[in-house]
Amino acid sequence: MNKVLYITRNGLLEPLGQSQVMPYLRGLSSYYKISLITFEKEKDVNNSDRFERLKKECQSLGICWNPQYYRYHPTLIGSAWSMIKFLTLCLKVVKKDSIKLIHARSYLPAAVAWIVYKVTKVPFIFDMRALWPEELITSSRINRNSFLHKIIILIERLCLRDASTVVTLTNASVKYLNKKYSKELKNKELVVIPTCVDLNKFPMLVYDKSQENKSMVHGCIGTVLSGWFDIKWLSIWFNKLAEIDQNSTFEIISQDDPTIIQSLVDPKNVLGRRLKISSCLPQDIPNAIKEHSISTMFYKGGETSELGRSPTRLAEVLSTGMPVVVNRGVGDVADVVTQNRVGIVLDGIDATSISDAIDNLNSLYLDKEIHKRCRDTAEKIFSLEFGINNYRKIYTEAIG
C-alpha cells in the first residue's frame, strides 16, 4: 500500500473530527497506509475510555495515529513555535514512514505541507474546507490588509499554486478562487467535495402520507448562536408563520443556551408554548427531528466568506427525507435546493419575499414526492461514499 500522511489541527476526539475526519479515514484505510497527526484538547484526552477506544480503532484500521496536545498560543511567537514543532514532526514522519502524499486539512496544515513539499518533494493536497482569510475578517478576528491577513493570504496563494490538488467545499468558492488567483490556478482544476455524511446514521424517516391534515412543525437543528447563523431571520420567519398559521408549532434543537435562544427568537413571547427549545446528542438527531415537517437554516449570506460554506446540517436533514428552508449567498445551498426541488429559498425578510416563500411552502407541503427527492439528493451529493471515492481518485492521481 502507498503511504499517506493526513494532517489536521482539529482533534480526532472532537465532534468535527468524528464526523468529518474519521469517517473518510475509515474508508481510505482499506486502500492506503495512513499516518495521522491531530491536535487534541486536554479535556478530550483526559476522557481515557474514549481515547483508548479510538486509539484501538485506529490500530485495527492500520492507521498510525500521532495525537498531539492542542495548546492555545495568544502570542505570535508562541504560535510560530507551535508551527515549528508541527513542521518538525511532519518531516520526521515523512522520512520515517516513506510517505508518498500529504493530505493537509485547512490552511495551517497546508502551510506545513508546503514547506515539507519544498524540502522533500512529497506532493500535498490542499483541502481548503473554507475561505479561511475571509472567515476571519467576517468574524472580526483580523483586519483586512493587516500583517496577519497578508501572511494568511500568502499561505493561500502558495498552497493554491503548488498543491498537487486543491479541494474545496463549493462550486461558488471555485468561481471566486479562479477569479482571484487566475495566474496561480491556470491549467489547474479544483475539486469540489462538499461536507459529506454517513447516510446510514441519518436514515430516511417514515412520513405520514396524509400529512396535509397535520399541523406543520417547523424545526431548526444545530447551533444558532455561532455568529454565522442568522437568528434574526429565524425569528422573523417563525413569527410570521405563527401569525398566518395558528396551528403551527416550532422546535429548535441546539446545544446553545436555551434562555438566550428564547430571548432572540421570541423576545415578546408571541410564540409562547408553541416554541420548544431542546437539546440532544448528535447521534440522536434523526429520532429527535422525526416530528418536524421542515427544517430551517439561515446563514449570514452575502459575505465572501460564505461562498465556501457547506453546512453539515443540510446534508443530515436531506438524508432523512426532510425538506428545508434556506437563504441565498451561502455556498451552493440555494442551488442545491432549487435545482433538486428539495425545499424553498427565502430571498429576503421583506413582506413580499416572505409571502412568496409561504406560498411555495404550502405547495411543497402537498408534494407527495418531496421526501424521496430529498433522500435522493443526499445520496447523489452528500454521501460519505461519494466523498471517499473522490478522495481515492485524487490520491491515485497525486501519487501517480
Side-chain angles (χ1 to χ4, degrees):
M1 285 187 179
N2 284 312
K3 297 180 179 180
V4 175
L5 172 60
Y6 190 107
I7 56 177
T8 174
R9 288 282 289 175
N10 298 112
L12 200 60
L13 289 158
E14 295 177 14
L16 186 145
Q18 286 296 293
S19 67
Q20 293 301 310
V21 176
M22 195 61 192
Y24 293 107
L25 296 183
R26 287 191 187 101
L28 292 168
S29 65
S30 297
Y31 309 95
Y32 303 93
K33 180 69 176 178
I34 297 173
S35 295
L36 171 65
I37 297 175
T38 64
F39 286 80
E40 308 295 330
K41 292 183 173 64
E42 186 174 359
K43 66 179 180 65
D44 291 326
V45 176
N46 287 342
N47 187 335
S48 57
D49 288 342
R50 286 188 65 227
F51 181 78
E52 288 301 321
R53 282 199 304 270
L54 194 53
K55 186 177 179 181
K56 288 179 180 179
E57 182 183 4
C58 286
Q59 290 173 346
S60 69
L61 294 169
I63 298 172
C64 181
W65 183 26
N66 295 278
Q68 307 296 304
Y69 273 109
Y70 172 84
R71 292 182 175 85
Y72 173 69
H73 296 284
T75 65
L76 190 59
I77 294 175
S79 298
W81 176 242
S82 176
M83 289 294 290
I84 290 171
K85 291 197 293 183
F86 189 11
L87 171 61
T88 302
L89 176 60
C90 287
L91 285 167
K92 179 181 177 181
V93 172
V94 166
K95 182 178 180 181
K96 178 175 70 72
D97 295 346
S98 301
I99 297 296
K100 299 299 183 184
L101 175 67
I102 302 172
H103 185 160
R105 190 183 194 279
S106 196
Y107 281 67
L108 294 182
V112 169
W114 180 83
I115 297 174
V116 175
Y117 162 72
K118 288 296 182 180
V119 173
T120 66
K121 300 304 178 185
V122 173
F124 71 99
I125 297 167
F126 181 19
D127 200 344
M128 299 182 71
R129 311 312 300 168
L131 300 174
W132 192 46
E134 294 298 328
E135 282 194 340
L136 292 174
I137 290 170
T138 300
S139 61
S140 301
R141 292 170 64 186
I142 63 173
N143 295 318
R144 192 177 297 278
N145 295 322
S146 64
F147 175 73
L148 185 55
H149 178 249
K150 290 178 180 178
I151 291 295
I152 297 173
I153 288 296
L154 177 62
I155 291 171
E156 184 176 67
R157 185 182 300 276
L158 293 175
C159 290
L160 286 171
R161 185 192 69 188
D162 294 336
S164 64
T165 306
V166 177
V167 179
T168 184
L169 293 173
T170 69
N171 290 289
S173 63
V174 170
K175 296 176 183 177
Y176 165 79
L177 291 167
N178 277 326
K179 182 177 180 180
K180 183 177 181 180
Y181 295 109
S182 57
K183 180 180 179 182
E184 288 80 4
L185 295 174
K186 187 177 181 180
N187 300 322
K188 179 176 287 189
E189 181 180 356
L190 278 67
V191 179
V192 176
I193 303 179
T195 302
C196 298
V197 297
D198 184 349
L199 301 186
N200 293 324
K201 293 183 177 180
F202 295 89
M204 179 82 165
L205 297 175
V206 177
Y207 291 92
D208 182 1
K209 293 183 179 180
S210 61
Q211 61 178 335
E212 64 266 22
N213 297 319
K214 289 175 58 180
S215 298
M216 288 198 74
V217 180
H218 299 269
C220 178
I221 64 169
T223 178
V224 295
L225 302 179
S226 62
W228 306 116
F229 193 90
D230 201 323
I231 198 165
K232 178 183 177 182
W233 274 49
L234 184 68
S235 175
I236 293 172
W237 176 244
F238 274 10
N239 277 274
K240 189 62 178 178
L241 289 169
E243 177 186 323
I244 293 174
D245 181 1
Q246 297 295 320
N247 295 317
S248 61
T249 56
F250 309 86
E251 182 176 21
I252 299 172
I253 301 174
S254 175
Q255 298 289 342
D256 296 333
D257 188 325
T259 303
I260 298 177
I261 296 176
Q262 181 83 36
S263 67
L264 294 173
V265 175
D266 191 25
K268 298 181 180 178
N269 199 34
V270 173
L271 300 178
R273 292 185 178 181
R274 295 168 66 186
L275 173 63
K276 179 182 178 182
I277 302 172
S278 59
S279 65
C280 72
L281 296 173
Q283 61 266 30
D284 295 329
I285 284 290
N287 187 59
I289 67 174
K290 64 182 181 181
E291 297 301 326
H292 294 182
S293 307
I294 195 164
S295 190
T296 309
M297 50 194 78
F298 297 138
Y299 292 88
K300 293 183 177 178
E303 300 287 349
T304 302
S305 59
E306 296 306 287
L307 296 175
R309 186 173 298 282
S310 178
T312 306
R313 72 182 79 180
L314 176 64
E316 293 172 346
V317 168
L318 290 179
S319 177
T320 68
M322 187 176 298
V324 294
V325 183
V326 303
N327 59 312
R328 295 192 187 277
V330 184
D332 298 334
V333 170
D335 287 342
V336 169
V337 171
T338 55
Q339 291 171 12
N340 295 281
R341 297 186 295 127
V342 291
I344 61 174
V345 178
L346 184 61
D347 290 316
I349 52 175
D350 57 281
T352 301
S353 296
I354 291 177
S355 177
D356 290 343
I358 290 174
D359 288 342
N360 292 331
L361 178 64
N362 292 331
S363 298
L364 185 75
Y365 197 41
L366 299 175
D367 188 338
K368 301 295 186 182
E369 297 298 319
I370 182 62
H371 304 300
K372 183 179 184 301
R373 284 204 304 274
C374 290
R375 178 70 183 191
D376 289 346
T377 299
E379 291 177 351
K380 179 176 66 175
I381 301 175
F382 300 114
S383 74
L384 181 59
E385 289 74 16
F386 169 83
I388 291 172
N389 289 335
N390 274 276
Y391 279 122
R392 277 189 64 195
K393 181 179 178 182
I394 292 169
Y395 282 18
T396 300
E397 292 177 352
I399 294 173

